[in-house]
Amino acid sequence: MRYPPDLLDEIRARLPVSEVVGRRVQLKKAGREWKALSPFNAEKTPSFYVNDQKGFYHCFSSGKHGDIFRFLMETEGVSFPEAVERLAQQAGVALPTPDPADRERETKRAGLVEIVEMAAAFFEAELKGRRGGKARDYLARRGISEALQARFRIGYAPTDRFALRDHLAGKDVPAELMAEAGLLVTGEDVNVPYDRFRDRVMFPIADLRGRVVAFGGRALQADVPAKYLNSPETPLFHKGAMLYNAHTARKAAHDRGTVVAVEGYVDVIAMSATGFPHTVAPLGTALTEDQLALLWRMADEPILCFDGDKAGRRAAFRALDVALPALPVGKSLRFAILPEGQDPDDLARAGGAAAIERVLSAALPLVEVLWARELEAGPTDTPEHRAALERRLFAAVRTIKDETLQRYFREDVETRLSAAFGAVRRGRSGYDGGRGAGQGRGYGGGAGRGGGSRGGRFEERAGARLPSGFRPSPHLLRTRLFTPGEGEAEAPHPREAAILAAFATHPALLEQQADILAELDFASPEATALQRGLVDCAARHDAPTPEVIAARLARAGLSRTLESVYERIVPGLRWISDPLADPLRVEDAVRQAIILHRRAHTLHTELRAAERALADDDSEANLAWLREVRTQLSSLEGAEAQRDDA
C-alpha cells in the first residue's frame, strides 16, 4: 500500500520524535534538543540528538539520520509499511482503506493466518498428549527442554493421515483453505486430501510480525523419503524470502550489532538457549539473495556459521556466489566454520557459550573465504595452474556490481597473489600491493613500493622477459608500469613533512591526536620511522617539550630524519614548525593536511589499480578510468599547491 504524504505528516505531527525514540533510548534535555548515548554504537559520550521542532534524530557517531519511521526501521528491523502501521496505531490515525482487491487479498490472508495458527496449537497439544511420547523422547535426547519447547512452540504431527484435517474440519475450516495454507496434500491423483505432516516433530515458522505462517517437520522414522519437510509455497509463505526465528532475532541482532545464520532449526534453538538469541536459519535450502538482504537489514556484517564437514564448506562456498553479486557498499559477511564433524547444537552441548564464542570470534572475512575456495579448487604448482587460479579469482570479483567495491576486491586479490607467488607474480605485473618488503599487512613480503627498485623501465625493474613481438600501446607506455616510478623518493613528501613537523613541534597536539597520527599511511620509510618515534613519545603521557621530543627522537637515531622533515616543508607552511604558532591555526592546518593526505593515498591506490587494469586490457574503458584518476590527482595537487602558497 502506498501512503500519501499528508498521512505521514499527520502521524509525524501527532508523535514527537522524542516520544518514539524515548521508548528505546534514555533521553536528556539539552536546550531545545534531547541528547543520549547512541543506540547504534557503543559510546561513553552522548553523540545522539533528537530535535522535535525539526522532526528528526541525528547520530554523529554512526552518521544515521531520519524521522520516526526511519528510527523504527533502523532499531527494530521492520519494513516501512509495518513502521507506518505501528506508528499510525500509536498516533490514533486511521490508515486509508485499501481497494476492494487489496481488501479481499488481506481478508483471505488473515483467514489463512488464523487456520495456520489453529494448526500450530493442535501440534503443540499433540506433543504434550498421549501420542507425543516418541517426539518428547527425541527432543529430550537433543537437549530441548520443556521451556524451550514452549518458547519455540514446538509440536508433534500424529501418524494418522487425517488427524489435523479432521480437527480443523470440526472447527468449520473448509478443506480448500487447509490445502491453500499448505496443510493438506491434494492433486488430481489424490482422491482424498490428507495431512502433509505426519509423525514429525513440528517447528512453526513465523513471519516478521511473529505470526505462524508455515511449518518445518522433522521425521521420527528413519525410512521416510525426506528427513525434513517444509510447508509448500503459499500466499503466506515464500521459503526463499524468510528466515527461521527472524521475528525474535532481529531485536537481539540490533542490540548485539550482528546476526548469526546457522543451517537448521535445532541449531537455532541450541544457540538461542546458550545465549545467542540473534541466530536464524534458512529454511532447508541454500541461502538465497532475498534471505541475504534480510540478514543485511538486521546487521551490516552477518556471520554465516556452517557445520564442520564437507557439506558445511560447500554451503559456505555457495553463499559466496550469492553474496558477491549482491554485495552493497558498507555490507559484508563473515564465515565461521565449526570444528570437523560438529554442528552448532553439538558445540553448544559440548562446550557451551564459550566454545561458540570462540568460533564466532574467529569468523573469516568474505575475501578470505573466496581465496580459500579458489585455492582448494586446484593445484598451483605450475604457471598454468596459477593462471587458472587467477582467472577464477578475478571472474568471481567481476560479479561485484559496485565498481569501487570491485576495485578494492581486485586490489586485495592482487596483493594475495603477489604474496603467494612472490617474484613470479611481480614479474608479470610489477605489482606487490603498493607496500615495500616487510610492510604488507599479513600477506607476506613484497619487492618494494611500486613493484621493484626505483628508476628503470618495467622490464628492468621487474626482471621480466616480455614475449617476443610484444609491443605495448602508447597509452600503456605512459603508465608507471613502463616508466620510472614517480613520487617514490625515499624522503618524505612535503605534505607528510608538514604533518610530522607539526606533531614534533607541538606536544599538546601530539598528546591529543596521537591515535590519528598512528593510523596514517606514509609512503616514505623515513616518514614511517619518524611517525613511530612520535607515537612512542605520546605513549609516555608526560607532556614533554619540543626539546624533549627532539632528544628522544635523537636517541632513537632519528635526528637526521627530523632535520629532513623540517627542510622539506613548503615555504607557505614553514610557520607550522614554530613552537609559538597559534595552536588553533596549527590544528586546523594539520586537519586539512591529513584530509588531503588520505585523499591522495586513496587516489594513488586507485591509480595503481587502473594501471594494472590497463596493462591487462588496453581498452577505452580502462584508459578512461586511468585518465579520470589522474585528473583527480592533478586537481588535488593543484588545490594543495594553492593552499601551501596561501
Side-chain angles (χ1 to χ4, degrees):
M1 178 188 293
R2 295 180 61 88
Y3 300 104
D6 57 343
L7 172 74
L8 302 180
D9 288 341
E10 184 178 357
I11 296 173
R12 293 187 189 101
R14 294 194 186 192
L15 287 177
V17 185
S18 60
E19 180 180 334
V20 176
V21 173
R23 296 190 181 102
R24 290 187 60 90
V25 179
Q26 186 175 355
L27 297 172
K28 292 184 179 180
K29 193 69 174 172
R32 296 183 179 180
E33 297 182 322
W34 300 83
K35 68 179 181 179
L37 297 175
S38 170
F40 308 112
N41 289 325
E43 61 181 11
K44 296 180 180 179
T45 304
S47 69
F48 179 80
Y49 288 83
V50 171
N51 190 310
D52 283 333
Q53 285 71 38
K54 296 179 180 179
F56 65 73
Y57 65 88
H58 184 81
C59 179
F60 286 94
S61 68
S62 66
K64 293 184 177 181
H65 175 97
D67 60 8
I68 53 177
F69 304 109
R70 172 58 57 185
F71 183 79
L72 216 61
M73 294 164 67
E74 290 278 8
T75 57
E76 299 190 24
V78 300
S79 64
F80 177 70
E82 188 175 354
V84 173
E85 291 175 15
R86 288 173 56 175
L87 293 173
Q89 185 177 14
Q90 294 173 23
V93 174
L95 294 177
T97 304
D99 64 43
D102 287 340
R103 187 164 54 247
E104 183 178 349
R105 281 193 295 270
E106 193 57 38
T107 300
K108 187 174 184 180
R109 284 175 57 87
L112 292 178
V113 167
E114 185 178 358
I115 292 168
V116 177
E117 172 58 36
M118 292 164 64
F122 171 76
F123 293 141
E124 285 182 283
E126 286 294 317
L127 177 63
K128 298 174 183 176
R130 175 180 52 83
R131 294 187 286 193
K134 186 167 53 175
R136 293 194 297 272
D137 291 342
Y138 166 79
L139 293 170
R141 290 195 303 272
R142 299 299 301 264
I144 301 176
S145 66
E146 291 186 13
L148 285 173
Q149 294 169 28
R151 176 176 162 188
F152 286 90
R153 301 195 62 187
I154 299 174
Y156 172 66
T159 307
D160 186 343
R161 288 169 61 89
F162 306 109
L164 177 63
R165 188 200 67 177
D166 292 347
H167 172 77
L168 294 178
K171 296 181 177 294
D172 299 325
V173 177
E176 294 78 11
L177 291 182
M178 296 183 213
E180 193 166 2
L183 301 173
L184 297 185
V185 175
T186 61
E188 293 182 359
D189 57 341
V190 177
N191 295 325
V192 180
Y194 57 89
D195 292 355
R196 178 176 300 276
F197 300 101
R198 302 181 310 282
D199 196 24
R200 290 178 182 267
V201 174
M202 301 297 291
F203 299 90
I205 300 167
D207 63 12
L208 289 176
R209 299 186 186 184
R211 304 176 304 180
V212 179
V213 295
F215 297 95
R218 202 281 187 191
L220 293 176
Q221 297 292 333
D223 56 350
V224 296
K227 180 180 176 181
Y228 277 97
L229 178 67
N230 284 328
S231 293
E233 296 284 310
T234 72
L236 300 177
F237 178 57
H238 304 289
K239 182 166 59 176
M242 299 181 69
L243 293 165
Y244 180 65
N245 197 45
H247 66 295
T248 57
R250 60 181 178 176
K251 183 182 182 303
H254 171 265
D255 295 340
R256 302 288 184 96
T258 189
V259 61
V260 181
V262 295
E263 294 187 58
Y265 304 119
V266 175
D267 294 333
V268 169
I269 295 169
M271 292 278 287
S272 298
T274 313
F276 300 87
H278 52 301
T279 305
V280 298
L283 302 167
T285 61
L287 195 68
T288 69
E289 189 172 338
D290 287 339
Q291 289 168 335
L292 194 55
L294 183 54
L295 287 172
W296 278 328
R297 279 174 55 189
M298 295 185 191
D300 289 342
E301 197 173 38
I303 299 174
L304 306 186
C305 186
F306 295 100
D307 294 353
D309 54 19
K310 290 183 179 179
R313 292 185 70 80
R314 286 196 300 269
F317 293 161
R318 285 196 302 269
L320 279 176
D321 294 326
V322 177
L324 287 172
L327 194 62
V329 174
K331 306 285 186 180
S332 189
L333 291 174
R334 286 189 292 152
F335 293 77
I337 306 299
L338 293 161
E340 182 69 33
Q342 290 193 320
D343 59 25
D345 179 36
D346 297 328
L347 192 63
R349 287 196 278 173
I356 293 174
E357 187 60 53
R358 282 194 297 271
V359 169
L360 297 182
S361 298
L364 300 172
L366 188 152
V367 70
E368 288 278 5
V369 179
L370 172 62
W371 175 256
R373 181 181 76 173
E374 301 311 334
L375 278 181
E376 287 185 13
T380 58
D381 55 334
T382 67
E384 301 94 317
H385 290 150
R386 289 192 287 273
L389 167 66
E390 181 173 332
R391 181 172 287 112
R392 292 194 304 271
L393 284 165
F394 286 120
V397 169
R398 281 194 297 272
T399 64
I400 300 173
K401 294 177 183 177
D402 184 88
E403 293 182 2
T404 303
L405 193 57
Q406 184 184 126
R407 287 201 295 270
Y408 278 110
F409 263 77
R410 177 190 289 186
E411 182 167 328
D412 190 287
V413 168
E414 285 274 11
T415 305
R416 291 168 187 270
L417 288 168
S418 179
F421 303 116
V424 176
R425 173 70 188 167
R426 289 191 296 277
R428 190 195 74 79
S429 70
Y431 175 67
D432 75 341
R435 294 185 175 273
Q439 295 181 29
R441 294 184 176 177
Y443 299 116
R449 185 175 173 80
S453 60
R454 294 164 50 213
R457 298 179 66 82
F458 170 77
E459 300 96 319
E460 300 164 356
R461 289 160 58 204
R465 289 192 178 186
L466 298 177
S468 68
F470 178 81
R471 294 291 180 270
S473 71
H475 301 313
L476 192 54
L477 283 169
R478 287 196 294 271
T479 71
R480 287 187 297 174
L481 292 174
F482 284 83
T483 57
E486 299 172 6
E488 297 183 311
E490 293 297 321
H493 184 280
R495 184 196 322 108
E496 296 180 354
I499 293 170
L500 291 165
F503 280 107
T505 310
H506 302 280
L509 180 70
L510 178 61
E511 184 178 5
Q512 295 165 7
Q513 300 190 22
D515 55 339
I516 295 175
L517 172 63
E519 292 174 355
L520 296 178
D521 285 311
F522 290 113
S524 159
E526 284 192 354
T528 301
L530 190 57
Q531 171 195 33
R532 191 178 303 115
L534 288 168
V535 172
D536 288 343
C537 287
R540 302 191 184 193
H541 300 293
D542 55 358
T545 63
E547 292 76 19
V548 171
I549 291 177
R552 289 175 179 172
L553 294 175
R555 285 197 295 273
L558 295 171
S559 289
R560 182 67 194 98
T561 303
L562 185 59
E563 291 175 11
S564 173
V565 160
Y566 285 130
E567 291 168 359
R568 292 189 60 80
I569 304 175
V570 296
L573 280 177
R574 293 252 169 92
W575 61 268
I576 208 168
S577 61
D578 182 354
L580 300 179
D582 180 359
L584 293 179
R585 188 182 177 206
V586 171
E587 185 177 349
D588 182 63
V590 170
R591 182 172 63 252
Q592 292 184 49
I594 287 174
I595 291 171
L596 290 170
H597 180 78
R598 287 172 171 163
R599 177 62 177 153
H601 178 76
T602 300
L603 287 174
H604 278 294
T605 299
E606 189 169 351
L607 180 64
R608 290 194 296 272
E611 289 170 348
R612 292 195 306 278
L614 189 63
D616 289 338
D617 180 9
D618 189 16
S619 66
E620 288 299 321
N622 286 335
L623 177 61
W625 177 19
L626 181 65
R627 285 173 171 167
E628 178 189 352
V629 178
R630 282 183 163 173
T631 299
Q632 293 183 50
L633 270 170
S634 297
S635 299
L636 181 71
E637 290 165 359
E640 189 169 19
Q642 291 179 2
R643 170 179 169 272
D644 294 342
D645 293 339

